[in-house]
């Protein structure tokens, strides 16, 4: 089976906005039927989200105010990739910075495209276990609460609408299937600690 009958070909591109974090572009494309159309989208550097598993069965979560939606959101720890940064190193770094936890083992669960209609963002999903608590290293201007919850509590919040963050909803599905044994993970030892203490090039 081929996808050629669905693909769009870029014929022009215009930079609409260039920020410190995000860029926006407007492209002209040729549709499969030969007609032209425009596509406006955001270029995102990519990110990592971590599902941290405590030894007592609870998961580590955060409460953080998100300005665009003007709400405090319940989320799993996450952060954007630096240029050239390995997603695993990013996940390890973000977990330490935001929660203070270091993990002995990590497992890549998969990836998700957050908003395929208007963004290039891809989020790599990692699970972490064997957590050891330590001091947080929050970025300047970053404010968040860290807490733990039972998986059934998190799933109830997803059902009831208390959790609406897309990556956390997706991770809750992963968590449910991992804990039930339906989606096994390939656990690996953590990278050397110094790797997570330095940002990418």
């Amino acid at each position: 089976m081929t996808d050629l009958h669905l693909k769009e070909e870029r014929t022009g591109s215009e930079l609409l906005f260039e920020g410190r974090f995000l860029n926006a572009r407007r492209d002209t494309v040729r549709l499969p039927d030969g007609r032209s159309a425009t596509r406006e989208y955001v270029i995102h550097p990519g990110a990592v989200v971590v599902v941290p598993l405590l030894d007592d069965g609870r998961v580590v979560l955060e409460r953080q105010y998100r300005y665009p939606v003007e709400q405090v959101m319940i989320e799993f720890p996450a952060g954007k990739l630096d240029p050239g940064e390995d997603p695993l190193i990013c996940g390890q770094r973000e977990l330490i910075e935001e929660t203070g936890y270091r993990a002995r083992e990590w497992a890549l669960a998969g990836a998700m495209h957050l908003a395929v209609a208007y963004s290039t963002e891809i989020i790599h999903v990692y699970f972490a276990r064997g957590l050891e608590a330590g001091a947080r290293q929050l970025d300047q201007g970053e404010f968040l609460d860290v807490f733990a919850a039972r998986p059934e509590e998190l799933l109830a919040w997803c059902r009831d609408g208390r959790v609406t963050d897309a990556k956390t909803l997706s991770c809750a599905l992963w968590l449910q299937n991992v804990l039930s044994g339906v989606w096994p993970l390939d656990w690996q030892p953590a990278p050397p600690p110094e790797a997570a203490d330095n940002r990418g090039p």
Side-chain angles (χ1 to χ4, degrees), residues 53-58 104 129-131:
L53 306 175
L54 291 166
D55 291 344
D56 64 7
R58 295 179 300 163
R104 290 192 301 271
R129 70 183 182 186
L131 302 184

Side-chain angles (χ1 to χ4, degrees), residues 100-176:
Y101 283 106
R102 294 178 184 268
R104 290 192 301 271
E105 292 184 291
W106 290 78
L108 175 64
M112 69 182 97
H113 288 92
L114 193 63
V116 293
Y118 58 85
S119 175
T120 65
E121 182 175 7
I122 184 170
I123 302 180
H124 306 273
V125 182
Y126 281 89
F127 278 65
R129 70 183 182 186
L131 302 184
E132 298 177 358
R136 294 194 295 172
Q137 304 167 23
L138 294 175
D139 292 334
Q140 185 176 2
E142 190 173 28
F143 304 92
L144 54 88
D145 293 335
V146 177
F147 70 103
R150 299 189 309 274
E152 57 267 28
E153 290 179 303
L154 172 60
L155 292 170
W157 297 337
C158 294
R159 179 197 64 212
D160 297 342
R162 183 173 174 185
V163 172
T164 59
D165 171 60
K167 66 181 181 298
T168 302
L169 289 169
S170 297
C171 286
L173 173 65
W174 252 295
L175 177 64
Q176 190 174 36

Side-chain angles (χ1 to χ4, degrees), residues 41-78:
Y41 60 99
V42 173
I43 298 175
H44 188 286
V48 173
V49 59
V50 181
V51 180
L53 306 175
L54 291 166
D55 291 344
D56 64 7
R58 295 179 300 163
V59 293
V60 178
L61 294 160
E62 299 174 351
R63 295 177 68 253
Q64 185 173 10
Y65 183 78
R66 294 300 193 175
Y67 181 80
V69 295
E70 300 181 336
Q71 292 184 52
V72 172
M73 306 293 282
I74 295 175
E75 308 174 43
F76 279 114

